[in-house]
Amino acid sequence: MRILIVEDEHDLGAAVQERVRLDGHAVDWFTTLEDARAAMATVEYDFMLLDLGLPDGNGRDLLREIRRTSSNIAILITTAEDQISDRIAGLSEGADDYIVKPYDLNELVARIAAVSRRYAAPRRRARYRIGDIMIDRENRAVSRGDQVLDLTAREWAIMELLSRHPGRIYSRQQIDTALYTLDQDVDSNTVEVFISRLRKKVGNMTIRTVRGRGYCLADGEAA
């Protein structure tokens, strides 16, 4: 997933960014509402970790703005505000979950996974089969016959993106966005390299190249 962290505590923000990246997500981290809004105008995020007490305002302002739009981004509030009334307010205004500081980073990533599953369930196929290839989105696994394939985090990120809408063509730029954060330089042929590596594992026919447009998953079926 592409995840946006809005957190002004630098030590905490850096630790969260590093831990979430270990799970294979592309993560951008900003310390102000202004920068978060600018990032969201540029990038389509799947998930947001939102602090409330920020230098230029309250995170609930951004939460309300987002929920007034058609955005499907999942939002988990991370804050030191620990009163029951604070939690009720955040959830009532559209947050999907609420975790109080200080929190355990492993619990945080578990909550991210749980919220993501709730979002994925009504909108996306959990498992998709193409010939002898099975893509299991819930368990983040790809198998070929009885063998579970060893994919790198970025190889899985590509498969996860393509499997959201099998048959839909994703451009190289869209795949770049899923793989890399705003502060990373990307080589011009990076996507092609990862696609080539994936095809060696899942077979050349699993991922189609649409000349001049991008890539998509071949025809298959929900499983």
Side-chain angles (χ1 to χ4, degrees):
M1 292 188 298
R2 190 67 182 265
I3 296 179
L4 174 62
I5 299 172
V6 191
E7 172 60 64
D8 67 328
E9 294 183 31
H10 286 269
D11 289 345
L12 177 59
V16 171
Q17 183 180 47
E18 180 180 2
R19 179 62 184 85
V20 175
R21 278 179 173 171
L22 286 175
D23 265 21
H25 303 296
V27 186
D28 294 320
W29 166 37
F30 298 99
T31 59
T32 66
L33 293 174
E34 180 182 4
D35 287 343
R37 291 185 178 102
M40 293 186 70
T42 305
V43 176
E44 182 178 353
Y45 290 97
D46 302 295
F47 206 106
M48 177 187 293
L49 301 176
L50 179 62
D51 189 16
L52 297 183
L54 296 162
D56 56 344
N58 193 299
R60 287 200 188 94
D61 295 334
L62 180 58
L63 172 61
R64 287 190 290 268
E65 291 170 19
I66 292 170
R67 290 310 184 221
R68 284 197 294 266
T69 72
S70 59
S71 172
N72 287 321
I73 186 172
I75 300 176
L76 194 164
I77 289 177
T78 63
T79 181
E81 297 181 9
D82 60 354
Q83 299 298 311
I84 293 296
S85 58
D86 297 323
R87 300 187 189 201
I88 292 173
L91 295 170
S92 297
E93 290 167 348
D96 297 283
D97 201 355
Y98 193 110
I99 189 169
V100 176
K101 300 175 184 176
Y103 49 77
D104 181 85
L105 293 178
N106 290 325
E107 179 186 356
L108 178 68
V109 296
R111 286 174 179 261
I112 291 172
V115 172
S116 298
R117 285 194 295 270
R118 294 202 299 270
Y119 266 69
R123 297 187 297 147
R124 302 173 184 168
R125 299 169 179 173
R127 304 175 77 199
Y128 190 74
R129 183 187 298 278
I130 306 169
D132 63 345
I133 298 296
M134 176 69 75
I135 303 167
D136 185 341
R137 294 173 52 84
E138 183 173 351
N139 294 304
R140 301 178 64 187
V142 179
S143 57
R144 190 170 192 173
D146 295 329
Q147 179 185 6
V148 177
L149 301 179
D150 183 17
L151 301 188
T152 68
R154 285 178 175 162
E155 288 168 351
W156 166 251
I158 292 175
M159 291 299 290
E160 194 278 335
L161 177 66
L162 297 180
S163 65
R164 292 182 182 188
H165 301 283
R168 175 183 291 184
I169 300 168
Y170 289 87
S171 69
R172 186 170 68 82
Q173 182 179 3
Q174 288 174 309
I175 298 174
D176 276 342
T177 299
L179 291 177
Y180 296 100
T181 56
L182 295 173
D183 60 350
Q184 291 177 300
D185 294 326
V186 182
D187 293 336
S188 60
N189 67 338
T190 298
V191 169
E192 287 80 1
V193 170
F194 282 119
I195 293 290
S196 177
R197 292 177 183 173
L198 266 174
R199 281 176 168 154
K200 290 179 181 178
K201 297 178 180 181
V202 302
N204 290 331
M205 304 304 295
T206 302
I207 300 175
R208 294 176 49 217
T209 299
V210 182
R211 189 177 298 276
R213 298 180 63 189
Y215 303 92
C216 67
L217 280 186
D219 293 337
E221 60 182 3

